[in-house]
């Protein structure tokens, strides 16, 4: 078993467990690549003619767990950023619409946040603001336009249900996690053997790149976790199971 020739061509499914509470935080079973790297640093005692290396010392043991995925979840963003999750959000909205037959009235799709509305002629977007009054969703222009003239309205709206917002502050930092990995190895004898890994204390690096493009492959996210030792000096377990 210890000398079995084997290879891998499958990603690890990963379960992230909160290091402090020991509660599952994220089931990451949608990665394309998972890479585990162990690191260490060697220093040497030198002596004699030619300054040869005489004694080697190993230290600073650690490593990284790197995950590449084209699938996103809000929990994944929270894991990397350490941001707080809430279910309300404010954002700006832009609509282009025609005034009514009187040339003065516009009805918005939402009730805007007070003080956030700006109205422009359609041919002067973000130019000179038109004067108006507002009540609820109804906007009334101070000066009438011609019937059918179009205007552009910007306003802030608030969503209080159905939203998932990750709020990232300058003081936000990711939690530490225990990570359990699960994949398979294939032997030269055509056996499929379960392979497990345990990273005892993984700290996600708080770097996140989100790309949005209208061509090419779907945007990928790379998450890198630093592997540290837990309170019992454990860093990583690699387990092969013969069934």
């Amino acid at each position: 078993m210890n000398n079995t020739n084997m290879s891998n061509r499958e990603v690890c499914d990963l379960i992230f467990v909160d290091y402090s509470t020991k509660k599952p935080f994220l089931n990451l079973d949608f990665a394309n690549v998972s890479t585990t790297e162990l690191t260490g640093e060697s220093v040497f005692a030198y002596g004699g003619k030619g300054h040869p290396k005489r004694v080697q010392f190993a230290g600073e043991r650690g490593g990284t767990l790197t995950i590449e995925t084209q699938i996103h979840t809000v929990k994944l963003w929270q894991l990397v950023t350490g941001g707080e999750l809430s279910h309300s959000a404010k954002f700006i909205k832009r609509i282009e619409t025609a005034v009514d037959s009187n040339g003065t009235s516009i009805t918005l799709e939402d009730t805007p946040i007070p003080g956030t509305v700006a109205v422009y002629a359609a041919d002067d977007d973000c130019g000179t603001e038109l004067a108006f009054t507002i009540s609820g969703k109804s906007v009334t222009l101070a000066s009438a336009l011609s019937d059918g003239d179009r205007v552009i309205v910007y306003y802030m709206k608030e969503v209080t249900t159905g939203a998932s917002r990750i709020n990232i502050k300058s003081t936000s930092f990711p939690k530490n996690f225990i990570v359990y990995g699960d994949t398979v190895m294939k032997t030269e004898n055509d056996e499929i053997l379960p392979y497990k890994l345990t990273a005892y204390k993984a700290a996600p690096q708080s770097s996140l790149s989100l790309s949005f493009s209208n061509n090419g492959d779907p945007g990928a996210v790379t998450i890198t976790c630093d592997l540290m030792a837990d309170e019992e000096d454990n860093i990583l377990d690699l387990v092969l199971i013969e069934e």
Side-chain angles (χ1 to χ4, degrees):
M1 179 66 175
N2 293 338
N3 295 317
T4 300
N5 294 337
M6 57 190 175
S7 188
N8 169 270
R9 198 172 183 272
E10 188 57 276
V11 70
C12 274
D13 290 338
L14 301 166
I15 298 173
F16 283 77
V17 174
D18 188 302
Y19 185 81
S20 177
T21 66
K22 304 300 186 286
K23 299 292 185 181
F25 181 86
L26 172 66
N27 178 36
L28 203 162
D29 59 356
F30 45 79
N32 295 324
V33 181
S34 53
T35 304
T36 307
E37 180 180 9
L38 287 172
T39 59
E41 188 169 295
S42 295
V43 294
F44 300 90
Y46 298 81
K49 293 179 179 178
H51 196 58
K53 296 175 181 177
R54 297 286 188 177
V55 183
Q56 182 258 4
F57 299 91
E60 298 193 24
R61 298 301 301 271
T64 56
L65 171 63
T66 303
I67 303 141
E68 297 177 23
T69 175
Q70 293 175 307
I71 307 298
H72 302 231
T73 70
V74 173
K75 273 283 196 176
L76 182 68
W77 298 342
Q78 189 180 15
L79 180 141
V80 177
T81 64
E84 291 294 326
L85 175 65
S86 64
H87 297 289
S88 65
K90 299 176 183 178
F91 57 91
I92 195 167
K93 190 167 182 178
R94 177 188 186 275
I95 64 167
E96 182 175 342
T97 187
V99 296
D100 68 355
S101 58
N102 295 323
T104 58
S105 296
I106 308 153
T107 301
L108 303 178
E109 299 172 356
D110 316 279
T111 300
I113 296 173
T116 67
V117 180
V119 184
Y120 304 93
D123 59 359
D124 189 28
D125 190 4
C126 296
T128 301
E129 287 192 49
L130 303 179
F132 64 90
T133 57
I134 185 168
S135 176
K137 298 180 181 180
S138 299
V139 176
T140 303
L141 298 178
S143 299
L145 303 177
S146 299
D147 180 17
D149 279 357
R150 300 185 70 79
V151 295
I152 294 171
V153 185
Y154 292 90
Y155 61 92
M156 294 289 292
K157 65 173 292 185
E158 183 173 14
V159 177
T160 56
T161 58
S164 294
R165 176 171 66 99
I166 301 295
N167 179 233
I168 305 162
K169 301 180 181 293
S170 60
T171 54
S172 300
F173 297 99
K175 296 180 177 182
N176 293 331
F177 296 92
I178 306 168
V179 184
Y180 298 93
D182 177 11
T183 187
V184 293
M185 306 293 285
K186 187 175 183 179
T187 72
E188 286 187 329
N189 296 325
D190 211 29
E191 296 175 293
I192 303 298
L193 302 180
Y195 170 88
K196 313 282 186 180
L197 70 83
T198 302
Y200 282 88
K201 191 175 185 180
Q205 297 178 6
S206 53
S207 298
L208 178 65
S209 177
L210 299 175
S211 61
F212 302 92
S213 175
N214 63 1
N215 61 80
D217 292 334
V221 174
T222 299
I223 304 107
T224 301
C225 301
D226 292 312
L227 302 183
M228 301 184 294
D230 68 3
E231 64 273 9
E232 296 179 353
D233 297 328
N234 299 306
I235 296 177
L236 188 68
D237 277 353
L238 305 177
V239 181
L240 189 68
I241 301 172
E242 185 175 18
E243 295 184 324

